């Protein structure tokens, strides 16, 4: 049993299922999905802060962008809906008759995901479950269905884990001023005891209703309630010892760190478990302005997953459904393509751990990533090496090592040439993964 003290809670360890999972699905679906609009400004971490909030490419930040007069979102809103059209009036337009939670769950499983985390309440404050603490929820307004409950059941029925996202520090129903810079995040947020209790009670409600495997908080937590989180965490861990909490509470304890787009992405293997989240495009919420040129190609998507895993991370890839509950075709296509790659190469991803280094390259400049499992080292090429032979820089194997293509037991010929390893490859047309079966492991 965990006691409600930071010392007791700190004894909680990252469960094996999460370390093995490697890949999860994030879902941003809310009122913002109705307008589904944002400028395609660029990726977080690449856009200057003075530009970011005014030209915010996150469609789920529509309300904040609307509060910044003369922003592209404000101009679009006035031209499309009129200057007197209130953001929350979009609720009257939110119809999810085309939503099929079982279809979503099957798609996520085919994509190779091992866990799913939907937004239960984003910064706009609308709750996607029937909360006893507010009427501003999905069974009293808008869709009139328990979105979280139906999705949780569908996800667990296909054997996936289920987590919940909650915007702890931001709720724009409690504030009026727009956020224009990062430092505003600590100022323009609810600071009352009322809101602190409200957020705490809702998290407890989510735990009791849906027994989540992950509590994924965002932006922070009200200062007045940070000490109370040791009670929340101990309650959660005692109900689900294999559950996890992320690092966005701004308190002493967390199970895994988070990175988002270009922010906080580790340059080397992280000594701590971490998770990388991003959308397929520039936004998390559905953005009608995003086309193929803004969406990750399957090659980039695969390389991203491999890079994250090689650095001791999990990849939380976001899906932004349309308001009606359908997932845009390009997003579906990417998920299925990634699932097909994982069907062939999943042994080098699931259940692996980082090697002594994450990255390498061939003598002709192709990037490589390494993972390991037991006495097997996986060498994943981020590209298509030429048939015939490939030389890997600074990889020295010991005598008796067996090198095969992943999925084959046929040994490949190879030669150690100083510090480099040359492997003779059969004819192929796509990226490949080598498995080096050895005991002991390579020298470098």
């Amino acid at each position: 049993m965990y006691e409600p003290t930071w010392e007791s809670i700190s004894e909680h360890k990252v469960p094996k299922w999460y370390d093995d999972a490697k890949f999860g699905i994030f879902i941003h679906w809310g009122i913002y999905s109705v307008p589904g609009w944002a400028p395609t400004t660029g990726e977080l971490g690449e856009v200057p802060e003075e530009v970011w909030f005014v030209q915010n490419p996150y469609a789920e930040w529509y309300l904040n962008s609307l509060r910044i007069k003369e922003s592209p979102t404000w101009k679009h809103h006035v031209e499309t809906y009129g200057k007197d059209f209130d953001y929350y009036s979009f609720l009257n337009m939110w119809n999810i008759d085309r939503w099929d939670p079982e279809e979503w769950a099957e798609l996520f499983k085919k994509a190779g995901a091992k866990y799913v985390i939907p937004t239960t309440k984003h910064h706009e404050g609308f709750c996607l479950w029937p909360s006893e603490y507010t009427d501003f929820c999905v069974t009293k307004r808008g869709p009139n269905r328990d979105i979280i409950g139906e999705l949780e059941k569908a996800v667990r029925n296909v054997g996936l884990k289920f987590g919940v996202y909650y915007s702890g520090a931001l709720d724009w129903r409690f504030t009026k001023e727009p956020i224009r810079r990062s430092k505003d995040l600590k100022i323009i947020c609810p600071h009352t005891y009322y809101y602190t209790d409200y957020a705490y009670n809702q998290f407890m409600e989510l735990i009791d209703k849906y027994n989540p495997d992950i509590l994924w908080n965002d932006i922070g937590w009200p200062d007045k309630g940070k000490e109370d989180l040791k009670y929340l965490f101990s309650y959660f861990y005692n109900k689900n010892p294999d559950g996890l909490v992320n690092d966005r509470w701004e308190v002493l304890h967390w199970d895994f760190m988070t990175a988002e787009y270009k922010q906080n992405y580790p340059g080397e293997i992280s000594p701590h478990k971490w998770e990388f989240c991003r959308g397929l495009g520039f936004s998390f919420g559905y953005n009608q302005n995003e086309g193929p040129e803004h969406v990750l190609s399957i090659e980039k998507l695969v390389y991203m997953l491999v890079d994250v895993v090689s650095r001791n991370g999990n990849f939380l890839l976001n899906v932004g459904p349309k308001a009606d509950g359908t997932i845009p075709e390009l997003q579906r296509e990417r998920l299925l393509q990634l699932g097909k790659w994982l069907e062939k190469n999943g042994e080098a991803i699931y259940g692996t751990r980082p090697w002594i280094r994450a990255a390498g390259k061939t003598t002709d400049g192709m990037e490589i990533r390494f993972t390991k499992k037991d006495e097997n080292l996986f060498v994943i090429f981020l590209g298509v090496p030429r048939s015939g032979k490939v030389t890997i820089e600074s990889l020295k194997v010991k005598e008796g090592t067996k090198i095969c293509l992943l999925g084959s037991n046929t040994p490949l010929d190879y030669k150690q040439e100083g510090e480099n390893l040359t492997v003779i490859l059969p004819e192929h047309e796509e990226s490949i993964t080598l498995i080096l079966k050895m005991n002991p492991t390579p020298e470098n």
Side-chain angles (χ1 to χ4, degrees), residues 190-329:
H191 291 291
T192 63
Y193 286 113
Y194 173 81
Y195 175 74
T196 300
D197 289 345
Y198 175 75
Y200 183 95
N201 288 334
Q202 287 202 321
F203 246 127
M204 291 290 281
E205 186 177 48
L206 289 167
I207 293 170
D208 288 338
K209 277 182 172 288
Y210 307 114
N211 192 28
D213 299 296
I214 299 175
L215 302 185
W216 213 102
N217 186 60
D218 202 9
I219 304 296
W221 194 257
D223 289 340
K224 289 181 172 63
K226 285 182 177 176
E227 277 301 306
D228 294 337
L229 289 176
K230 59 181 181 284
Y231 297 96
L232 179 71
F233 291 173
S234 62
Y235 182 78
F236 172 57
Y237 289 150
N238 288 329
K239 285 183 69 73
N240 187 351
D242 283 337
L244 302 94
V245 300
N246 70 344
D247 66 342
R248 298 193 179 190
W249 311 78
E250 299 177 343
V251 292
L252 295 173
H253 175 75
W254 43 265
D255 291 302
F256 62 93
M257 302 169 65
T258 57
E260 184 172 332
Y261 285 90
K262 297 296 193 299
Q263 283 194 345
N264 301 322
Y265 197 100
E268 302 292 340
I269 296 173
S270 171
H272 304 290
K273 190 65 188 178
W274 65 288
E275 184 179 73
F276 174 59
C277 67
R278 65 156 291 155
L280 280 159
F282 299 152
S283 176
F284 286 94
Y286 168 66
N287 183 5
Q288 61 181 282
N289 293 324
E290 288 189 345
E293 69 275 20
H294 305 112
V295 175
L296 291 171
S297 67
I298 183 56
E299 290 80 14
K300 288 183 178 179
L301 190 54
V302 166
Y303 301 167
M304 205 167 280
L305 170 65
V306 172
D307 190 65
V308 168
V309 171
S310 74
R311 300 174 193 272
N312 198 30
N314 282 14
F315 188 12
L316 186 63
L317 179 64
N318 183 76
V319 169
K322 294 182 179 180
D324 64 5
T326 59
I327 295 175
E329 189 56 38

Side-chain angles (χ1 to χ4, degrees), residues 396-402 414 416 437-443:
K396 194 173 183 181
V397 301
K398 294 189 175 180
E399 188 175 349
T401 296
K402 180 181 177 182
Y414 66 89
Q416 192 74 55
K437 302 181 179 182
M438 60 198 78
N439 190 2
T441 54
E443 296 179 351

